[in-house]
Amino acid sequence: MPATRATTLKDVAAAAGVSIKTVSNVVNDHPHVRPEMRERVRAFIEQLDYRPNGMGRQLRQGRSGLIALAVPHVTSPYYGELTSALVDAARERGLTLLVEQTDADPDRERQAAEGFGVRMVDGLVFVPLNIPTGVLAERRDRTPAVLIGENGEGADADRVTVDSVAVGDVATTHLLERGRRRIAFLGDKDAERSPVLAQRLAGYRRALQRAGIEVDPQLLRPTPEWERGHGHDAVVELLTARPDVDAIFAANDLLAFGALHALRRLGRRVPEDVAVVGVDDVEESRFCAPTLSTVTLDRTSIAEQALALLAERLDGLDAPPRTLVAEHRLVVRESTGG
Amino acid sequence: MPATRATTLKDVAAAAGVSIKTVSNVVNDHPHVRPEMRERVRAFIEQLDYRPNGMGRQLRQGRSGLIALAVPHVTSPYYGELTSALVDAARERGLTLLVEQTDADPDRERQAAEGFGVRMVDGLVFVPLNIPTGVLAERRDRTPAVLIGENGEGADADRVTVDSVAVGDVATTHLLERGRRRIAFLGDKDAERSPVLAQRLAGYRRALQRAGIEVDPQLLRPTPEWERGHGHDAVVELLTARPDVDAIFAANDLLAFGALHALRRLGRRVPEDVAVVGVDDVEESRFCAPTLSTVTLDRTSIAEQALALLAERLDGLDAPPRTLVAEHRLVVRESTGG
DNA sequence: TTTGGTTCTTCCAACGTTGCAAGGAAGCAT
DNA sequence: ATGCTTCCTTGCAACGTTGGAAGAACCAAA
């Protein structure tokens, strides 16, 4: 690996005995280059393995083609699948995604929103989780941003979201239709911080109310985060407090997986004793035991819509913030009786 | 979102009534700036929300701080966890990771290896899966690269790998110690293309041979890829061909999850009838039903070692390719009887 | 007042690229 | 030969930044 400088336009020009600009014209397929000259230059480009220096090009053109993605963590299946869809959607638009993880830490989410100190990306796709209220509203960075999800209120930015009240309603209603009456809600926490939670919970309440069932506070089980282990622990406590519970609506699939795990360890049959519904429809839900009923959110479409919104801003669109609502759909599997 | 140009050094300089370079000196904490001048300039920087333009800076300095990661897909838990660890490790070194997915497509892997046409990143972290033999050996791009895993032979690049023969051996030996004798291998395919597979299979053969057991070709079950569904399908076929199978060594956890799913649907008890071992120890293996015995690969350490190797190259290290071997360890859970 | 030495600030050039405008060569009709 | 196109090629400038050197201002000592 010799420390040779990378080939530049200048090198190719010198080798071919033409001007830098001619080489540039060949590289960029500009008209008015004699075919033989084009061939000649191409040969040298090939021979010297010239590839344009992105930084020079970007500096000149004022855009980098880079989009920052700030996401809580890629590890979690839902965000992983979303990231994957965004990478592909960006690629299709000739953009490259650069990934930052916030670990759902408010400070790091703030940093992400404010642009990381150095201006390098053309846009931001942001999945906020715990960003303090107001931070987004006061965002000074003029880089276009798109938010994904319901969190991060008051932002002056485009957004792709899901009707989470309806999601909570449809999941709860499904359990009610299966004859369940003591339905726990898994994933409760500080609702002020988390609009997405508040909405799923509101849907749960709405469905119960419509069925004429009182909301039992003991059935609202908090979890510190929405990961498998938290679902497990919350269900262990739940079964102690309310052993008669006959259904669980988990705020996301991971909590549901933890719930299934706990139920199995405690000898409850699913769905006979306790039915379980999640939200997200991550791939695992089609393979876990029992397979999980859940509300599917179309990640591909969310990703594509988010990038479509962003691309318009990159092209200079100056319009008030827009919000797109992605589809959701109940998927019934074994955990609620197929 | 007014289409105002972003603030540059020139703007700050004009506002503060000093030269561009003085502002630059303040931004970069250079000595020889009078404290009061420093303060004055800082105030304008703050007021105008100046942030350095990464592209200009990078062009000048000749490095971008960007590292490309080329990975089959972020969705799969193992790669997702690896990506996550790499993002964090890069961040700690002041680098930013830019993610490309190859979908395990040979052409896209080749593109990744050859640098995507535009020179923009300082380095490459590459997880090859199906790259044609020889492509890496002929790589002309002088951007430093680190490979992760056993695939991609002949590359003139640093590598972080795992002793996959030992991995296959330890998993198979564990099943033998549990008294199993008809042990299937799940994930077979064109071994020439996939050294990692070849090695895990070699470990399987070695363990059987040591136990004096003949390798039964019917127990070597191919799968098109290493995803849950393929594991499921392969096990369905396996049970038809060899209903007497008493253990399955799956080349990775995803195949194992699919296997568990199929076994459950076909009424086989795990581990009583069939014991199952995977490889990777993704989080799901601690929560699936039954929980999965597997061989854990330390992703955090793999990621950190990979970036350490790369960072040395970025600093100009000129040395022959190096290979680091990361640790592995058997984790016993319910699927082999706890 | 001049000199010498600090300390602070500015100027110049360069990183690699591309848009623009001008330069040059060749072909054609006069 | 001259003028006029047309086609191809080149030179210049600029994107925003920073290293290095030159310049200016200031102060202390002669």
Side-chain angles (χ1 to χ4, degrees), chain B residues 41-122:
Chain B
V41 171
R42 268 201 218 296
F44 279 101
I45 288 179
E46 173 64 22
Q47 180 193 321
L48 299 177
D49 190 31
Y50 168 76
R51 243 115 21 95
N53 177 314
M55 300 182 273
R57 177 177 279 184
Q58 290 152 21
L59 178 57
R60 178 64 230 238
Q61 302 183 332
R63 46 148 70 203
S64 65
L66 294 174
I67 302 292
L69 167 65
V71 78
H73 25 245
V74 190
T75 303
S76 136
Y78 175 72
Y79 296 123
E81 292 177 16
L82 185 60
T83 301
S84 171
L86 284 165
V87 168
D88 289 343
R91 182 188 158 83
E92 261 173 39
R93 294 188 139 75
L95 301 169
T96 302
L97 216 65
L98 170 164
V99 177
E100 294 281 353
Q101 296 190 111
T102 61
D103 280 330
D105 178 70
D107 260 357
R108 290 174 68 181
E109 295 202 349
R110 188 208 323 270
Q111 279 177 36
E114 291 177 355
F116 301 110
V118 173
R119 228 179 276 280
M120 179 150 76
V121 299
D122 296 341

Side-chain angles (χ1 to χ4, degrees), chain A residues 96-173:
Chain A
T96 302
L97 215 67
L98 168 167
V99 177
E100 295 280 352
Q101 294 189 109
T102 61
D103 281 330
D105 179 69
D107 261 357
R108 290 174 68 183
E109 295 202 347
R110 189 207 323 269
Q111 280 177 37
E114 291 177 354
F116 302 111
V118 173
R119 228 179 276 280
M120 178 150 75
V121 299
D122 295 341
L124 170 68
V125 178
F126 187 23
V127 188
L129 211 56
N130 291 315
I131 194 159
T133 311
V135 167
L136 279 173
E138 291 165 15
R139 186 162 172 272
R140 301 177 64 194
D141 191 346
R142 303 244 125 273
T143 309
V146 186
L147 303 184
I148 294 184
E150 292 84 84
N151 293 334
E153 298 156 295
D156 176 30
D158 293 333
R159 183 189 289 276
V160 179
T161 188
V162 168
D163 183 350
S164 273
V165 177
V167 168
D169 192 330
V170 76
T172 310
T173 300

